[in-house]
Amino acid sequence: EPEVTQTPSHQVTQMGQEVILRCVPISNHLYFYWYRQILGQKVEFLVSFYNNEISEKSEIFDDQFSVERPDGSNFTLKIRSTKLEDSAMYFCASSEGSGRGGDTQYFGPGTRLTVL
Amino acid sequence: GDSVTQMEGPVTLSEEAFLTINCTYTATGYPSLFWYVQYPGEGLQLLLKATKADDKGSNKGFEATYRKETTSFHLEKGSVQVSDSAVYFCALKDDYQLIWGAGTKLIIKP
């Protein structure tokens, strides 16, 4: 069964460093997403991406964050200068469509980011 | 804005007990509703979904019915197993993004 994959599973970085989290969405999916979950808190939406453009982003997704689809398979989240509060589990997801018609988002296993 | 409220956990049950995890939502539109499950050390997996009022989603013995009149989507299972121990998330989607409940940890004791 096709699945979303993410690498690395755990990333440790120093405050102020740049990190890139990588995701390979399901191959025929057109919409891509990033979410994060700070330990003990709710899952939060960061950004959605379609046709090489951001389609929606939350208030969390400020200028420190960027997303890219550098080739036909990868989808990346870059944090330019990490802060302690960026420590969280980051989930990538993909879906065939984005509409309310029940398009399901399929999630990867997550990358745990620890900022020291 | 839209929001989802779940019953707080952990919920601890004995094997073969009946399970209900309450979920209510607030939405301005007509969202789709989802239950996701996260097993220990794993990612978020879709458990079931419903896209309109009165729809019932079901999977692996779990069920939930989209109740517009009570704005609820409670998760039920008739007889839980130890392997059902996980964190369960209720979520709604009105457009691009999923909006999540806080999650309910379920512990099943043999």
Side-chain angles (χ1 to χ4, degrees), chain B residues 47-68:
Chain B
L47 182 58
L48 53 85
K49 69 180 184 184
T51 59
K52 62 183 187 298
D54 300 324
D55 269 2
K56 179 187 281 189
S58 61
N59 186 25
K60 300 181 182 179
F62 291 90
E63 292 183 341
T65 301
Y66 188 162
R67 301 279 188 210
K68 188 165 177 286

Side-chain angles (χ1 to χ4, degrees), chain A residues 36-39 85-90 111-114:
Chain A
R36 78 173 185 191
Q37 186 181 28
I38 296 171
L39 190 63
E85 54 264 38
D86 293 327
S87 295
M89 181 72 89
Y90 288 80
T111 293
R112 179 162 297 286
L113 176 66
T114 302

Side-chain angles (χ1 to χ4, degrees), chain B residues 7-55:
Chain B
M7 64 189 290
E8 288 189 22
V11 172
T12 304
L13 296 171
S14 297
E15 208 166 18
E16 299 183 3
F18 184 86
L19 167 71
T20 300
I21 299 178
N22 289 338
C23 171
T24 57
Y25 68 91
T26 304
T28 51
Y30 300 94
S32 294
L33 301 174
F34 301 81
W35 277 100
Y36 280 83
V37 59
Q38 186 176 33
Y39 297 103
E42 298 186 16
L44 298 160
Q45 300 176 25
L46 177 69
L47 182 58
L48 53 85
K49 69 180 184 184
T51 59
K52 62 183 187 298
D54 300 324
D55 269 2

Side-chain angles (χ1 to χ4, degrees), chain A residues 31 33 35 37 42-45 48 55-56 91 98-105 107-109, chain B residues 4 30-32 34 36 38 42-44 46 49 51 89 93-98 100-102:
Chain A
Y31 292 82
Y33 312 84
Y35 292 81
Q37 186 181 28
K42 286 188 178 185
V43 178
E44 301 172 293
F45 169 78
S48 62
S55 45
E56 189 178 16
F91 292 104
S98 74
R100 180 170 49 84
D103 287 310
T104 298
Q105 294 180 18
F107 283 78
Chain B
V4 175
Y30 300 94
S32 294
F34 301 81
Y36 280 83
Q38 186 176 33
E42 298 186 16
L44 298 160
L46 177 69
K49 69 180 184 184
T51 59
F89 293 91
K93 185 161 79 75
D94 209 357
D95 199 348
Y96 292 112
Q97 62 173 287
L98 280 163
W100 299 80

